[in-house]
Amino acid sequence: MVVKVLGQPSYACPRRVILALLEKEIEHEIVIVDGKVGQDKGPEYLKLQPFGLYPTIQDGDLTLFESRAIIRYYAEKYRNQGTDLLGKTLEERALIEQWVEVESQNLNPPLMQLVIQILVYPAFGRASDPKVIEESEEKVAKVLDIYEEKLSKTKYLAGDSFTLADLTHLPLTYYLLEPLKKPYLVRDRKHVSAWWDDITSRPSWKKSVELYPFPF
Amino acid sequence: MVVKVLGQPSYACPRRVILALLEKEIEHEIVIVDGKVGQDKGPEYLKLQPFGLYPTIQDGDLTLFESRAIIRYYAEKYRNQGTDLLGKTLEERALIEQWVEVESQNLNPPLMQLVIQILVYPAFGRASDPKVIEESEEKVAKVLDIYEEKLSKTKYLAGDSFTLADLTHLPLTYYLLEPLKKPYLVRDRKHVSAWWDDITSRPSWKKSVELYPFPF
């Protein structure tokens, strides 16, 4: 059964799912749902994803949305295929989940604000708010200071191997370096910088960027 | 080994963890970390939780933070003790995780804005922003419209039994009814209202409210 990934594969949340499918060597196909012509808020897509957000997967009888729920499902279902993304013990998994949540709760909100204010608003002719940009950058910097300390002790966020904790960071953190032109947030932190080089050297990342170039 | 829950138990995220421990019948004790006297940003607590946020648990050698990571860990570790919160199959768990993420990504951000603007800012003498309040309430209402539709089909968010998907909603949704004085957001939606009455009739909820009254 080929997994269908519905959405816009160049966007951050669908990319999170695609990266997990690539790491787990799971056959999948992309079904474009084009927000530019309103398909994301159309009746057909809303039946699957009532919030009209990307991505949704269809896998046999299972319809599932929310990127972090999807990556957990496939990491567990194909435990012994491809890269182990969940650790060996319940305690290892707990620490992986901890860092997945740190990304979701602490890093993602201010980082998404930067994307919205610097890239999305201007693209739609709306003015951005310099104060929000300044505050968001400060918040991102504080989170990355904590990552720097953690990554001085372990090679990856949740220990010595690449897991969901690292994978979940890839799609949005990328924006800091290229589209947002704030590479110093990563590069001025020695261990964060080395971690970033390591996780973006993975074939899954390279393939996703090649297949689905970033929209900005 | 008694699980130590560090933080302020009357706050939403520690309460999420306490509810899970009560549902799973896990012995635990509260260790107050008092933000009012700066303990949350003190060196001792920051060693355990570098962001200075509540809660953190200590369980033997394991130190873990992020409430949603903690509740997943205990729901899985004590699978056969207390209430089953994760479903019977990987697919059931995936749908539970989906709704845990919906709370985290779609409901929590605007609901937290309402708490901050209406309760926290005035308590610290800071003016709230009526436009942010209005927009946040609209966002909460839209999410609850989708819940209304879902709960017209299944008794609980992820199916026919109470799971982590429902539990994770308890601590913050409560604010709508009492402290924020917006009960109509719940009560004007028949199925959301019945769901709310059902999940707040659980002994775990009653005990948590009795032991740790709300700060507002």
Side-chain angles (χ1 to χ4, degrees), chain A residues 8 11 33-40 54 124 215:
Chain A
Q8 192 54 271
Y11 287 18
V33 177
D34 191 351
K36 292 203 178 97
V37 296
Q39 288 178 344
D40 55 339
Y54 306 142
F124 288 89

Side-chain angles (χ1 to χ4, degrees), chain B residues 36-166:
Chain B
K36 292 203 179 97
V37 294
Q39 287 178 344
D40 57 337
K41 308 293 185 225
E44 210 174 325
Y45 189 63
L46 289 180
K47 254 186 242 165
L48 304 175
Q49 213 299 6
F51 298 92
L53 300 170
Y54 306 142
T56 301
I57 62 103
Q58 289 190 296
D59 186 352
D61 291 339
L62 180 69
T63 299
L64 190 66
F65 53 87
E66 282 296 330
S67 62
R68 297 176 188 84
I70 298 169
I71 64 177
R72 287 183 180 103
Y73 172 65
Y74 285 109
E76 179 71 45
K77 185 174 177 189
Y78 295 93
R79 198 86 192 211
N80 299 317
Q81 179 179 313
T83 311
D84 172 22
L85 298 170
L86 288 177
K88 302 212 181 325
T89 64
L90 282 183
E91 287 67 31
E92 285 179 20
R93 173 156 186 177
L95 292 169
I96 292 163
E97 295 282 3
Q98 171 184 287
W99 289 101
V100 171
E101 288 292 337
V102 167
E103 188 278 332
S104 158
Q105 301 294 322
N106 299 9
L107 185 59
N108 196 295
L111 188 41
M112 188 57 93
Q113 267 301 329
L114 290 177
V115 171
I116 290 170
Q117 295 281 340
I118 297 175
L119 300 172
V120 179
Y121 280 180
F124 289 90
R126 188 171 158 180
S128 41
D129 184 335
K131 197 171 158 229
V132 173
I133 293 175
E134 192 190 329
E135 287 174 355
S136 300
E137 181 164 337
E138 273 171 27
K139 284 181 191 169
V140 168
K142 275 189 194 167
V143 173
L144 293 180
D145 282 343
I146 290 166
Y147 283 32
E148 178 67 6
E149 171 70 15
K150 179 69 178 86
L151 292 166
S152 76
K153 292 176 192 153
T154 56
K155 190 174 176 191
Y156 298 95
L157 282 171
D160 293 319
S161 58
F162 175 85
T163 66
L164 278 191
D166 310 290

